[in-house]
Amino acid sequence: MEQRTQFYIDGQWLAPAGTGSIEVFSPTDGAVLATVPQGNAADADAAVMAARRAFDAWSATPPAERAAYLKKIQDGLKARTDEIARTITLEMGMPYKLSQRIQVGSPAASFGMYSKMLADFPFEEKVGNSKVVREAVGVVVAITPWNYPLHQIAAKVAAALAAGCTVVLKPSEVAPLNAFLLAEIIHAAGVPAGVFNLVTGFGPMIGEALVTHPEVDMVSFTGSTRAGTRVSELASATVKRVALELGGKSAAIILDDADFAVAVKGVVGNCYLNSGQTCTAHTRMLVPASRYAEAAQLAVEAAQAYRPGDPMAEGITLGPLASKMQQDRVRDYIAKGIAEGCELLTGGAALPAGVNPAGYYVAPTIFGKVKADATIAREEIFGPVLSIISYTDEDDAVRIANGTVYGLAGGVWSGSDEHAEKVARRLRTGQVEINGGPFNIYAPFGGYKQSGNGRELGKYGLEDFLEYKAMQFRPAPKP
């Protein structure tokens, strides 16, 4: 069992002020995988003050020098790809081969992207008699989730460091081990002391101490809408900038002119990626009422390709959920769907065959004939559960897709990109896949409504960590 006993603060590995520890469980068999320190308010203060002391020098560091550090971090991540992928698979359950590509490949790409972006990013411009400059917002607290743990860390930390901010990271206590590996890589890259700091602990103790700290200028949070609301409330007392990436209940609209065999398979794959633990997962599949039976059959057939089991084993395409709490939550939603009269087409709450009964597994599940106002069609489940909903025409499909409190993502499938785009423009979401278009880290990521505010990734993510300053110059006297 791995034991982490120190925090990374002010360029050093230091013993925490808090005396407790947090157990990290293996979702594959429920055993204790590791322990990490349980930080408290004193640890939060130490990390924030280290970041504050480092801010002036780091924000004044030329962009080219900051870029060089980011490139070293990217290289460090690539060099330890297998180790990091294995760690993330063991702590949160994504199949190992997918972890190599997604859970490590994406974070490395983010650090590389921001390293390159600094070469010509317009930090200042002339506007009339003013020089408008963009400067680092200050000390940033990054609070990140467990489903794509290192990707979400990188999206915040890489952009914040590129902008000239200093950072205190609090990763999820469910999957924190990857963050310690990142801290080792950042230290090896020679990043100045205090620029990046790592603490772990529970939200109500160390998380709230970070959010309310008067020396913190910005909080970037990814997690549930409920927790995001709490972060906003606490941060408002000191008028901090708050960026939130929260929940989703994304709909994929399959139009009548789409290739149904391709579209349905694509939606099922999107829904089941990472065992459904994806905030942008297309968990509602909207199909024309006249073609419901065809879509339902294709969906059930597509689900058969998802084999639950040990995520380190060959041939496994669906790992366990990240925690026992999450497993219980998803099972409860499945029971609720059945109780509300939705048609269970495949899967269900029973443990899948052949898996370790102590693991946190849920079978790939599909409900048909789901009404738009059913609980499983409105609330975020965060598991491998797909709801098939029928619509009468395109206006009805758009109404259903937009009919939740969320607005993070969605998809449209059609025989032509032009037709799909026409419908996509009507969706109130921050991201829409057109005919299965792949994720793009250079595009802005974030949501409408209760899916949050602010944007991550690309130049848009960098801009979120910058303030504007206008300096007015007296015009030169006329000759």
Coordinates of all heavy atoms in Angstrom, one line a residue, residues 13 34 42 100 109-110 123 147 161 176 178 184 191 220 255 258 270 273 291 346 365 374 385 387 437 448 468 470:
W13 N 8.7 19.2 0.0 CA 7.8 18.2 0.6 C 7.8 18.4 2.1 O 8.8 18.2 2.7 CB 8.2 16.8 0.1 CG 8.0 16.6 -1.3 CD1 8.9 16.6 -2.3 CD2 6.7 16.3 -2.0 NE1 8.4 16.3 -3.5 CE2 7.0 16.1 -3.3 CE3 5.4 16.1 -1.5 CZ2 6.0 15.8 -4.3 CZ3 4.4 15.8 -2.4 CH2 4.7 15.7 -3.8
A34 N -4.1 3.2 -1.1 CA -3.1 4.2 -0.6 C -3.7 5.0 0.5 O -4.9 5.0 0.7 CB -2.6 5.0 -1.8
A42 N -4.7 25.2 8.5 CA -3.4 25.7 8.6 C -2.6 25.3 7.4 O -1.7 26.0 6.9 CB -2.7 25.1 9.8
Q100 N -3.8 5.5 -20.8 CA -2.5 5.9 -21.5 C -2.8 7.0 -22.5 O -2.1 8.0 -22.6 CB -1.9 4.8 -22.2 CG -1.2 3.7 -21.3 CD -0.6 2.6 -22.0 OE1 -1.3 1.9 -22.8 NE2 0.7 2.4 -21.8
A109 N -0.7 17.1 -23.6 CA -1.0 18.0 -24.7 C -1.4 19.3 -24.2 O -1.0 20.3 -24.8 CB -2.1 17.4 -25.5
S110 N -2.1 19.4 -23.1 CA -2.4 20.8 -22.5 C -1.2 21.6 -22.1 O -1.1 22.8 -22.5 CB -3.4 20.6 -21.3 OG -4.6 20.1 -21.7
F123 N -0.4 39.8 -25.1 CA -0.6 40.2 -23.7 C -0.9 41.7 -23.6 O -1.3 42.2 -22.6 CB 0.6 39.9 -22.8 CG 0.6 38.4 -22.4 CD1 1.4 37.5 -23.1 CD2 -0.2 38.0 -21.4 CE1 1.4 36.2 -22.6 CE2 -0.2 36.7 -21.0 CZ 0.6 35.8 -21.6
N147 N -12.9 12.1 -12.1 CA -13.2 11.3 -13.2 C -12.2 11.3 -14.4 O -11.8 10.3 -15.0 CB -14.6 11.7 -13.8 CG -14.7 13.1 -14.1 OD1 -14.1 14.0 -13.6 ND2 -15.6 13.4 -15.1
L161 N -0.5 28.8 -14.9 CA 0.9 29.0 -14.9 C 1.3 29.8 -16.2 O 2.2 30.7 -16.1 CB 1.7 27.7 -14.9 CG 1.5 26.9 -13.6 CD1 2.5 25.7 -13.6 CD2 1.8 27.7 -12.3
P176 N -6.4 11.0 -5.8 CA -5.4 12.1 -5.7 C -4.0 11.7 -6.0 O -3.1 12.6 -6.1 CB -5.5 12.4 -4.2 CG -5.7 11.0 -3.6 CD -6.6 10.3 -4.6
N178 N -2.4 10.7 -8.7 CA -1.8 11.3 -9.9 C -1.3 12.7 -9.7 O -0.3 13.1 -10.3 CB -2.8 11.3 -11.0 CG -4.0 12.1 -10.7 OD1 -4.1 13.3 -11.1 ND2 -5.0 11.5 -10.1
E184 N 5.8 16.0 -8.4 CA 7.2 15.5 -8.6 C 7.8 16.0 -9.9 O 9.0 16.4 -10.0 CB 7.3 14.0 -8.5 CG 7.0 13.4 -7.2 CD 6.8 11.9 -7.1 OE1 7.0 11.3 -8.2 OE2 6.6 11.3 -6.1
V191 N 10.5 24.4 -11.6 CA 9.6 25.5 -11.4 C 9.9 26.2 -10.1 O 10.0 25.5 -9.1 CB 8.1 25.0 -11.5 CG1 7.2 26.1 -11.2 CG2 7.8 24.4 -12.9
S220 N -10.9 28.1 -9.4 CA -11.3 27.4 -10.5 C -11.8 26.0 -10.0 O -10.9 25.2 -9.5 CB -10.2 27.3 -11.6 OG -10.6 26.6 -12.7
L255 N -31.1 12.8 -36.1 CA -32.1 13.3 -37.0 C -32.5 12.2 -38.0 O -31.8 11.2 -38.2 CB -31.6 14.5 -37.8 CG -31.2 15.7 -36.9 CD1 -30.6 16.8 -37.8 CD2 -32.5 16.3 -36.2
A258 N -30.0 10.8 -40.6 CA -28.7 10.3 -40.2 C -28.6 8.8 -40.5 O -29.5 8.1 -40.8 CB -28.6 10.4 -38.7
N270 N -20.1 7.2 -26.7 CA -20.0 8.5 -25.9 C -20.5 8.3 -24.5 O -19.9 8.8 -23.6 CB -20.7 9.6 -26.7 CG -20.5 11.0 -26.0 OD1 -21.0 11.2 -24.9 ND2 -19.8 11.9 -26.6
L273 N -18.1 5.9 -22.3 CA -16.7 6.3 -22.1 C -16.5 6.5 -20.6 O -17.2 7.2 -20.0 CB -16.4 7.5 -22.9 CG -14.9 8.0 -22.8 CD1 -13.9 7.0 -23.3 CD2 -14.7 9.3 -23.5
R291 N -38.9 5.9 -35.6 CA -37.7 5.0 -35.8 C -37.2 4.5 -34.4 O -36.1 4.1 -34.3 CB -36.6 5.7 -36.6 CG -37.1 6.1 -37.9 CD -36.0 6.7 -38.8 NE -35.0 5.7 -39.2 CZ -34.0 5.9 -40.0 NH1 -33.8 7.1 -40.5 NH2 -33.1 4.9 -40.2
T346 N -31.6 -3.3 -21.5 CA -30.4 -4.1 -21.2 C -29.7 -3.6 -19.9 O -29.9 -2.4 -19.6 CB -29.4 -4.2 -22.3 OG1 -28.4 -5.2 -22.1 CG2 -28.7 -2.8 -22.5
T365 N -26.1 -0.1 -19.2 CA -27.6 -0.1 -19.1 C -28.2 0.8 -20.1 O -27.7 1.9 -20.3 CB -28.0 0.3 -17.6 OG1 -27.4 -0.7 -16.7 CG2 -29.5 0.4 -17.4
A374 N -38.9 12.3 -16.9 CA -38.5 11.2 -16.0 C -37.2 11.6 -15.2 O -36.4 12.4 -15.7 CB -38.2 9.9 -16.8
V385 N -25.4 4.6 -18.1 CA -26.9 4.5 -18.2 C -27.3 5.5 -19.3 O -27.2 6.7 -19.2 CB -27.6 4.8 -16.9 CG1 -29.1 4.7 -17.0 CG2 -27.1 4.0 -15.7
S387 N -30.5 6.8 -21.7 CA -32.0 6.9 -21.9 C -32.3 7.3 -23.3 O -31.8 8.2 -23.9 CB -32.5 8.1 -21.0 OG -32.3 7.7 -19.6
G437 N -17.9 14.5 -34.1 CA -16.7 15.2 -34.2 C -15.9 15.0 -32.9 O -16.5 15.1 -31.8
Y448 N -23.4 26.4 -20.3 CA -24.5 27.3 -20.0 C -25.2 26.9 -18.8 O -25.1 25.8 -18.2 CB -25.5 27.3 -21.2 CG -25.1 27.8 -22.5 CD1 -23.7 27.9 -22.9 CD2 -26.0 28.2 -23.5 CE1 -23.3 28.4 -24.1 CE2 -25.6 28.7 -24.7 CZ -24.3 28.8 -25.0 OH -23.9 29.2 -26.3
Y468 N -7.6 42.6 -17.1 CA -7.3 43.7 -18.1 C -6.9 44.9 -17.3 O -7.4 45.2 -16.2 CB -8.5 44.1 -18.9 CG -8.8 43.2 -20.0 CD1 -9.7 42.1 -19.9 CD2 -8.2 43.3 -21.3 CE1 -10.0 41.3 -21.0 CE2 -8.5 42.5 -22.3 CZ -9.4 41.5 -22.2 OH -9.6 40.7 -23.3
A470 N -6.0 49.0 -18.3 CA -5.9 50.1 -19.3 C -5.0 51.2 -18.8 O -5.3 51.8 -17.7 CB -7.2 50.6 -19.8

